[in-house]
Amino acid sequence: MALVPVTDLTPVRLTAPAVVVPAASASASAPVVPATSTEAAATRARRRLATTIGHVVLIVVAVTSIFPIYWMFVTAFRQPADALSQTPFPWPISLESFVTVWQQIPILGMIGNTFVMAFAVAACQLVIAILAAYGFAMWQFPGKSILFLFFIGSWLVPFQVTMIPNYVLISQLGLLGTIAGVIVPNLCSAFAVMLMRQHMQSFPRELIDAAHMDGRNNFGILVRVVLPNMKPALAALGIMLFIEAWNNYLWPSLIFQHQSDALIQVGIRSFLGAEGDNWGAIMAASGLACLPIFLIYLFLQRYIVDAFVRSGLR
């Protein structure tokens, strides 16, 4: 094999390729904003807009709800001759309508009777709802779902359907013209049973099982374990039942159709007559009838808010 001689042994210098740096443009000096910051700012703006719209809607709803009550007291503080005035402020302020109410009807006695009636109705409905809801929520028995469905179905029956049979029954029992005649047909509320059942179904079953293992019976578990942990729900439901009984007009007006000095709902209609309606006195009596409800809500509003907050937690 022939060998080829190497004659050129000059070293070769390796050079790095030149890097071409482009000239800086005018826009390269501006700071670059990350896309995430822009999106976060847009999200915050949308949230602020949604919050503002929500507050505006709540303010409109609040004003719409409060205005009838405001107008009732405005009319009550007008002079009787200006009762139908459209001015938003009563001037000059007059207490003549309240004096008329105080002189013509026993307003304090009627408010007391109405309070007794509403308290008795609310208490009976609450007790029955607690017992029935505990059975529907904690016990297992054949036909429970169907029975509960029929029970709730009674809530959908209009009062006008059962009004005449109830009136006949109360008449046969000799309870016409009495507070008991108003209470007896309203001892049970399907709405109260449904609401209490929903709250008891969310109650931890571990506590019920632990109480059973400690040897407690069902009534002891209900009184000592379940009810102490449901005070907000009981307070909220009790207030709603009390207000519903307090505002009921049709059934008390049937029971006390020949009397106008028993309940405040019936007594207010005494200012309506064929010769004319005393709207100032009507609004004054209605305003006085609202005061117990305002006081009850003022002292128990914390329980109502707590009940609605806890009802959303599972």
Side-chain angles (χ1 to χ4, degrees):
M1 180 178 61
L3 298 176
V4 179
V6 180
T7 57
D8 190 5
L9 298 177
T10 304
V12 179
R13 178 180 295 177
L14 300 176
T15 59
V19 178
V20 179
V21 180
S25 60
S27 62
S29 60
V32 178
V33 180
T36 56
S37 301
T38 306
E39 294 176 357
T43 302
R44 288 194 297 269
R46 287 194 297 268
R47 289 180 178 176
R48 285 195 295 267
L49 179 61
T51 302
T52 303
I53 294 176
H55 287 168
V56 171
V57 172
L58 290 177
I59 291 173
V60 172
V61 173
V63 172
T64 305
S65 302
I66 295 175
F67 183 76
I69 300 176
Y70 169 77
W71 195 259
M72 175 181 65
F73 282 101
V74 165
T75 305
F77 282 105
R78 298 185 195 275
Q79 293 183 351
D82 300 332
L84 299 180
S85 175
Q86 302 299 318
T87 56
F89 302 102
W91 190 262
I93 295 177
S94 174
L95 299 178
E96 187 173 348
S97 297
F98 292 92
V99 174
T100 302
V101 171
W102 186 270
Q103 292 177 349
Q104 294 191 8
I105 60 175
I107 184 67
L108 293 181
M110 297 168 68
I111 291 179
N113 293 337
T114 307
F115 185 88
V116 172
M117 181 273 297
F119 181 82
V121 170
C124 292
Q125 290 181 351
L126 194 60
V127 171
I128 294 176
I130 291 172
L131 298 176
Y134 184 82
F136 281 120
M138 302 299 178
W139 293 353
Q140 298 295 331
F141 53 89
K144 183 179 75 171
S145 300
I146 297 177
L147 181 61
F148 183 74
L149 181 63
F150 280 110
F151 192 87
I152 297 302
S154 64
W155 183 32
L156 305 178
V157 178
F159 173 74
Q160 290 76 8
V161 176
T162 60
M163 178 177 60
I164 296 178
N166 284 335
Y167 182 83
V168 174
L169 179 61
I170 294 300
S171 177
Q172 293 175 351
L173 294 176
L175 297 179
L176 290 179
T178 63
I179 297 179
V182 180
I183 297 175
V184 170
N186 297 303
L187 292 178
C188 181
S189 172
F191 167 75
V193 175
M194 181 184 65
L195 190 62
M196 290 303 301
R197 174 180 176 269
Q198 294 301 114
H199 280 279
M200 288 188 181
Q201 280 187 331
S202 63
F203 194 83
R205 297 304 296 262
E206 293 80 6
L207 297 178
I208 304 296
D209 297 336
H212 277 297
M213 294 178 63
D214 289 340
R216 295 190 180 276
N217 55 16
N218 288 301
F219 186 77
I221 294 173
L222 175 63
V223 174
R224 297 182 179 273
V225 178
V226 178
L227 294 184
N229 293 281
M230 298 183 63
K231 289 181 180 179
L234 294 175
L237 179 59
I239 292 174
M240 288 189 291
L241 295 177
F242 183 89
I243 294 176
E244 181 182 2
W246 184 279
N247 293 333
N248 190 10
Y249 171 76
L250 180 58
W251 181 248
S253 64
L254 292 176
I255 298 299
F256 293 100
Q257 57 182 336
H258 300 299
Q259 298 173 250
S260 60
D261 58 350
L263 301 179
I264 187 64
Q265 303 95 320
V266 184
I268 293 176
R269 71 181 182 186
S270 62
F271 297 104
L272 301 174
E275 63 278 2
D277 302 331
N278 190 344
W279 290 108
I282 292 174
M283 296 302 174
S286 301
L288 294 175
C290 291
L291 292 181
I293 301 297
F294 292 155
L295 295 177
I296 291 174
Y297 181 79
L298 181 64
F299 288 108
L300 298 178
Q301 61 176 338
R302 177 172 61 89
Y303 294 101
I304 298 177
V305 175
D306 195 8
F308 283 108
V309 170
R310 290 191 179 186
S311 64
L313 300 179
R314 292 294 182 265

